[in-house]
Amino acid sequence: MRSSRTPRRISVRAAAAVVAVLVPLALAGCSADDSDGKSGTVKAGGKPATVAVTPGGSGVKAGQQVQVKASGGTITTVTVTDGTAAKPLTGTLSKDGTVWTSDRKALPGRTYRVTAETKGTGGAKDTQQASFSTAQATKKNTLDLWPTAKTVGVAHPISIVFDRRITNKADVERQLKVTTSNNTEGSWGWVEHYDGRDRVDWRPREYWKPGTQVRLQALLNGTDSGAKGGFFARDYDKSFTVGAHQEVKVDLDAKRLDFVRAGKPTRTIPISGGDPTPGADKRSWSGTSVLMAKAGTVRMTSQSVGLGDAYDKMVDYSMHLTYSGAYAHAAPWNAAYFGKANKSSGCIGMSTANATTFYRDVQVGDPFTVTGKDAKGKAPLGNGYSNWNVSWPEWQKLSALS
């Protein structure tokens, strides 16, 4: 455990991070005469400090921080190595100099040596050593991370989808650090991805400001995601910039799309949305979705959205909005309905000429907000980036640390 007192940094040299269960292990004293310890200097009347290290032993569970605790004196330097060429393991020393705690966690399948230099009463200096080993990981967890583009629109969240189940959500979330160039307020929220996997998104309180520089540091190496997920074996680092403030507003009642840039409408496009006729549900989603990808030409089949054999088309200028199959795209076969009636199978269709220029100017991460009586409701969380359909207080409650 970290000391509750204000910490300060000390010099620490190491070859890798470590993870372990906190089981105290006494280090060899200054008078020890073995290969793991070396004698210190004790002045007359002085007494060296005693030191304990956690974890200790062999085959201990990985995933915890290393702690070195001194009694009867203070710690001056701690060195932790595992014989690899990995980056140094840094740590923090309590203000009173008695407890050193590693910043990172121990990795599975490693053997670590801890060397602590101390100062006891009467200025007695000592160097003490101990070693411990961690058990091998039986499972490893990996992830997919978005956005992949270098520049995105104002509504794009940071989104992480995990390959294995996350039961230690709070532990994982603590390792996710978001920094921005303008101190943007935001929060992580856990949702179920459309395919059933665990997912966590970082959403700003409001849309990003244009020009914001964003960096995610997922310091997950050595973090235990839980019994079903196993350990992470690497860190992740992602940066991107927020582009121009663009919004897409779709009015199903008026059958039109307004493309808004910096708060000013720049283009109005006649469209045809999802058909509200009772029977097969072809209505478009309402609320706000986010452009996930400019997908180009896409084969769209009615079977993929549960509409039988109604259609099988190659569709140009496709802009992907939800995982359930909602797009905005060119729909020349519906030309008679643009601006007049909602007759699509759920997508937002427009002429090829309008789709060409709109596709050119819209950017991944732009919000699409759909209104109108012909809509069917808001897309559930996890179906695309529908995070903006819940209030800020509701979103904050989805954090594992709330």
Side-chain angles (χ1 to χ4, degrees):
M1 299 293 291
R2 287 185 185 271
S3 168
S4 61
R5 301 179 182 179
T6 303
R8 63 182 175 89
R9 294 281 180 179
I10 65 171
S11 172
V12 180
R13 302 175 299 278
V18 295
V19 182
V21 176
L22 298 179
V23 179
L25 172 66
L27 291 170
C30 66
S31 60
D33 185 15
D34 56 42
S35 59
D36 286 338
K38 65 180 182 179
S39 297
T41 301
V42 181
K43 294 182 180 181
K47 185 177 180 180
T50 59
V51 181
V53 173
T54 55
S58 61
V60 299
K61 187 176 182 296
Q64 301 294 325
Q65 294 163 296
V66 179
Q67 187 179 82
V68 181
K69 186 175 183 179
S71 300
T74 57
I75 298 168
T76 55
T77 303
V78 174
T79 304
V80 182
T81 60
D82 73 350
T84 73
K87 293 181 179 180
L89 176 65
T90 60
T92 302
L93 187 64
S94 61
K95 188 176 181 180
D96 64 3
T98 62
V99 180
W100 179 91
T101 307
S102 66
D103 296 327
R104 301 299 302 272
K105 301 172 181 178
L107 298 176
R110 302 292 180 92
T111 297
Y112 295 95
R113 173 167 289 188
V114 182
T115 301
E117 296 180 6
T118 62
K119 181 183 292 185
T121 60
K125 296 181 179 180
D126 195 18
T127 300
Q128 305 175 46
Q129 295 181 328
S131 63
F132 67 92
S133 64
T134 54
Q136 294 284 350
T138 58
K139 297 177 182 177
K140 289 185 179 180
N141 210 336
T142 55
L143 55 82
D144 295 315
L145 174 61
W146 288 273
T148 57
K150 293 294 185 182
T151 302
V152 300
V154 297
H156 205 306
I158 300 170
S159 186
I160 304 174
V161 182
F162 300 95
D163 287 340
R164 292 182 178 272
R165 184 64 63 189
I166 306 293
T167 53
N168 296 341
K169 288 184 171 64
D171 289 345
V172 170
E173 189 175 330
R174 288 188 186 97
Q175 302 306 119
L176 307 176
K177 180 182 179 182
V178 177
T179 55
T180 69
S181 58
N182 54 15
N183 297 317
T184 300
E185 181 182 5
S187 174
W188 291 102
W190 290 84
V191 302
E192 182 179 304
H193 193 54
Y194 189 70
D195 63 8
R197 289 184 291 169
D198 285 326
R199 171 176 142 191
V200 64
D201 291 358
W202 196 92
R203 195 204 95 177
R205 180 170 185 167
E206 300 174 345
Y207 289 157
W208 299 103
K209 292 182 180 179
T212 301
Q213 296 177 350
V214 185
R215 183 184 184 188
L216 166 68
Q217 293 171 285
L219 305 177
L220 291 169
N221 196 4
T223 298
D224 185 4
S225 61
K228 296 181 179 180
F231 284 88
F232 291 95
R234 58 163 290 192
D235 294 334
Y236 300 81
D237 199 320
K238 170 73 69 174
S239 296
F240 61 91
T241 300
V242 180
H245 191 131
Q246 299 182 162
E247 297 185 51
V248 181
K249 298 184 182 295
V250 177
D251 185 338
L252 295 176
D253 293 340
K255 287 81 176 174
R256 76 165 187 253
L257 177 155
D258 290 317
F259 187 40
V260 181
R261 180 176 292 169
K264 298 180 179 180
T266 61
R267 188 181 314 159
T268 296
I269 298 174
I271 57 96
S272 181
D275 191 339
T277 303
D281 193 352
K282 299 181 179 180
R283 293 174 296 169
S284 299
W285 292 109
S286 65
T288 299
S289 299
V290 177
L291 181 57
M292 297 190 295
K294 296 167 74 170
T297 300
V298 174
R299 182 185 180 189
M300 297 187 185
T301 66
S302 51
Q303 290 181 342
S304 67
V305 291
L307 295 176
D309 297 323
Y311 61 86
D312 185 342
K313 295 184 176 74
M314 298 302 293
V315 180
D316 296 328
Y317 303 106
S318 296
M319 293 158 272
H320 199 185
L321 297 174
T322 71
Y323 290 114
S324 60
Y327 288 79
H329 58 75
W333 54 87
N334 263 353
Y337 301 114
F338 297 148
K340 299 176 181 178
N342 292 315
K343 291 293 183 179
S344 83
S345 296
C347 295
I348 306 301
M350 64 196 76
S351 71
T352 300
N354 280 325
T356 301
T357 54
F358 179 52
Y359 185 93
R360 178 195 65 200
D361 295 338
V362 73
Q363 59 191 353
V364 171
D366 285 350
F368 280 62
T369 300
V370 178
T371 59
K373 59 181 176 57
D374 287 349
K376 65 179 177 181
K378 298 173 181 177
L381 288 174
N383 185 9
Y385 301 134
S386 50
N387 311 342
W388 299 100
N389 291 326
V390 298
S391 68
W392 176 242
E394 289 176 298
W395 180 256
Q396 289 178 297
K397 291 178 182 178
L398 298 178
S399 167
L401 303 178
S402 63

